Every structure is written in C-alpha cells, then in structure tokens.
Amino acid sequence: MTTAEKTRSVAIVGAGPVGALMAVYLANRGWNVHVYETRPDMRLPENKAKIQNRSINLALSTRGLTALKGTGLALDELIMKSGLPMRGRMLHIGDEGHLVSQDYGVHGECINSVDRAKLNEDLITAAEELNNVKVSFNLALKRADLDKGTLTLENKETKEIVKAHADLIIGCDGAYSSVRNSLMRYVRMDFGQEYIPHGYCELSIPAKVGADGKPEFAMDPEHLHIWPRHKFMMIALPNPDKSFTVTLFMPFANFEMIRNEGDLLNFFEQYFADAIKLMGKDLLIKEYFKNPKGSLIMVRANPYHYKDRCIILGDAAHSMVPFYGQGMNCGFEDVRVLDALFSEFNVKSTQEGECDHSLALALEAYTDRRAKDIKAICELALYNYTEMRHGVTSPVYLMRKKVESWLHLLVPSKVIPLYTMVSFSNRPYSEAYARHHKQGFWLTVAGAAVGLGTAAGLLVAGWKQRRQLKDAAGLLKAAFLTAAQSAQKLVQ
C-alpha cells in the first residue's frame, strides 16, 4: 500500500444474519468493518431473557447455504450442525388430522429448519473472530450524512451520542430501516410498504418422553407440518431439542374473536383438534395469551444505493412475507451477489485519491440487476401463502404437481418445478418465475389429459364396481377444472 492509499472502511448498521454475513465477506476482502447493532449482545445470558421471542423459525435452503459456503470459513457446515433437514410438507387434513406427505423434490431435496437466534449468534461470533471486524451493541442510528460518510448514533442505555465515519454505509437494519430513511433523502426512491391483513402467533409442541425416558419428537421431524384451513393455517418446524416451533397464521379479525380460554379451546377443537393433544391445553393457553400477535409487512424500495456511499440489503430493501421460506435466503444471496459484483468491477479494499469509480459502478450494477429478482420473489412469497393454506388440498393442484414431477423425472432439462428452481438452485428468481409461467400452460394441459384419462378409466370400471364412481367423479371434476384453467390461460 502506498502512502496515498488507505484501507476502506465500512459501517454496517444491523448485526442480524445478513449484516453479520456481510461483515465476514467484506472483512475477507480486507476492509475495516464496524457493525452497529441497536439490541444488546444476544449471546450474553443476561440478555437472552430480555429478547422477546417473536421470530418464526428459518428455513435454510440452497441460496443461503451457497452464501455461507462462499465465506471460505465453512459457515454452512457450522450452521447445519444444528439444522434439521425437512424433505417435504406433512399436511394435517380435516378434523381428525389425517396425514398426507408431499415431498419438496423428486430426488429427496430438503430445506433445513434452523433456529434464528442460534444462527445469528454463530454469524456474529464468526465475524468478531476476524481481526478487522468490530461489533458494537446498544447503538441506534439516529441519522446519517451519506455524502460525508458520518453516522450519528445513540447509546440505548446511557443515551450518549456517538459519532462514527465510514467510506461506505450498508443498511442491514430490517424492515423499519433507519439507513433506508436516510437514503430516501438522497435518491428519488420508489418506496412502498403494505401490511397484509393476517398476523401470526408463536406456539410450541414440546418433546414427548420416550420409552427409554429420553425426549422424542411428537411428530415426524423430517417434514414441515402444515394445518391448511383455507383462510388461515398453522405450521410447525422441528428443533434440535425435539420440540417443534409452531406458528399460527390467520387474519387479525380471527385473533380478535378469541378473547378468553374458552374461545381459544373451542377454536382449536374445531380446526386443530389433533394439535391440542400434541401441545397440551395448559401450554397452548399459556403461550397463546402470553406471546405477541405479530404483523406481516411487505416493503419494496428502489434504488438500493447512493453513489459509492450507501447501499441497503436484506429486509431493509425488500421485506417479504415468510411463506416461501426465502427471506433469509434472499438476504444472504444479496450479500453473495454484491460480493460477486465487487470482483467483477475490481473493487479493492484500498483507494487512491478520488479517481476510483469501481465501487460506485458495482453498487449501481447491484440495483440494476437485483431489482427484478427481488420483485419476483416478493410476489412468489405472497402467492405461496394461498398455496400453503388452501392450494395444497386442491385436486387440481395435486394433479398438476404429480404431472410436473413425472415430467421433471423424464425430461429434467425441459420441465423444472418452480419450488425446485427457487429453493434448490441459485437460478435468479426472475428467471425461475418466467420459466414457471412459460411451462405452466403445458403442465395444466398435461394434467387435464392425465386426469380425464384416469377418470374415464375409473368410470368404465365403475360400471362393474360402483364404489369407484365417487373417486372417478372427483378426478373428472378436477380434470375439467384443470382444462378450464388451461383454456383461460390460452385466451389470456
């Protein structure tokens, strides 16, 4: 390094999973990294009880694992030590909780249930172990002067004002981002936020005691369990301690109708009777009335950057509803994509004078290339809520998924299920979305053909065995619905 060169510094606001991972990537590039976090250090025992448990379990899949592996520190292996693979959905259908398994992929692909707090703690520790990373807690950003690269922060305990400076400011501070608020003053940002009318409440299913006295899972741990009830749903993800984290999603109007213990038990007995046995009435009542009812917000913003001075990543740029399990995976991919652009534009950790425009070009390219992918996954995340709470029980949906799986096995390069492209590949979200629409018409036509053929066969057989007529009629109805949907798409 010459005397005129200096090592670049970056201030990362937010020590959540995305901010911590970004710190590791930039530290690996030789930057001086300082991470500022509003919350106290979540790793300290005295702070664990203070942090209210409002987070939904995370589903870690290919995009997130790829970004973790890209650090070169085997963080993917570290995180997966406590991760639990889930190979599909387990649907709890009807009052009796009849179980129906739906695999995620035709080759046994899995998404992985991980605890948000444990993952976050591991990433913060990995960042702090690097010599050029410092993490400061209890500091909330009040304002940022992006042209000067200055940050004004407030210590949440002492109320002391702290000043900081950095060559680059990165906002990884969530859906209610303070960095984004500052960025809006410098760019003509298209911004919007929307709360969906549904909220969530976290519950749990404890481990049961096995015959040997050791804890055991109360349900199959290799599945993400779903109780689809059309207008609302409940899901459960396994934990390493043999418990399940349960999340009830439903309109706030429904939450407001449950005013006392009797209302709660009546509601669960009507819609989730099998879950009561797994949770236990006392625990259900305790957790439902103790735990907060969280809101689900969608945030969109564009552009994501300002010159070579600032960029926002993760939920600060694109908060999405959690129904595709891609929020964290997308945020981790943000980090990997930005790092790749640093390589493409030869962004160095040192800068000589004012003639180096590589950083500005890399940040601009990030906004230009990433925006269409963010738009695609945010739309898919919202759509998947309808699929999870309603579509998974539809004969039309089930027929289409069967046909899609058959065709993917026969011609894997020609037909790829949307879920496979999103969760088990690094294909850009926008490309996955476009390909899904392109192959969607022919899949529905094929599904209709298969359904009509199967139903016709059952109808013929039904003349001899009348008990098959009901099954045949159901298939025939589904086939006609599929054919009608295909015709509607063709007209459009």
Side-chain angles (χ1 to χ4, degrees), residues 61 93 238 377 413 434 442:
S61 54
I93 305 297
I377 188 55
S413 63
W442 298 111

Side-chain angles (χ1 to χ4, degrees), residues 11-14 18-19 141 168-174 177-180 304 310-317:
I12 299 176
V13 180
V18 175
L141 179 68
L168 174 64
I169 298 171
I170 300 181
C172 300
D173 49 340
S177 170
S178 297
V179 176
R180 186 185 64 233
Y304 308 123
C310 179
I311 191 167
I312 52 175
L313 305 175
D315 283 354

Side-chain angles (χ1 to χ4, degrees), residues 115-133:
D115 178 80
R116 179 190 296 267
K118 176 69 165 58
L119 177 141
N120 202 169
E121 291 172 11
D122 287 344
L123 290 180
I124 292 173
T125 298
E128 277 193 324
E129 288 176 349
L130 301 172
N131 293 331
N132 49 340
V133 175

Side-chain angles (χ1 to χ4, degrees), residues 91-98 227-229 270-274 393:
L91 307 183
H92 295 242
I93 305 297
D95 297 338
E96 300 295 325
H98 175 64
W227 288 258
R229 297 300 183 261
Q270 181 177 357
Y271 294 106
F272 307 112
D274 64 317
T393 63

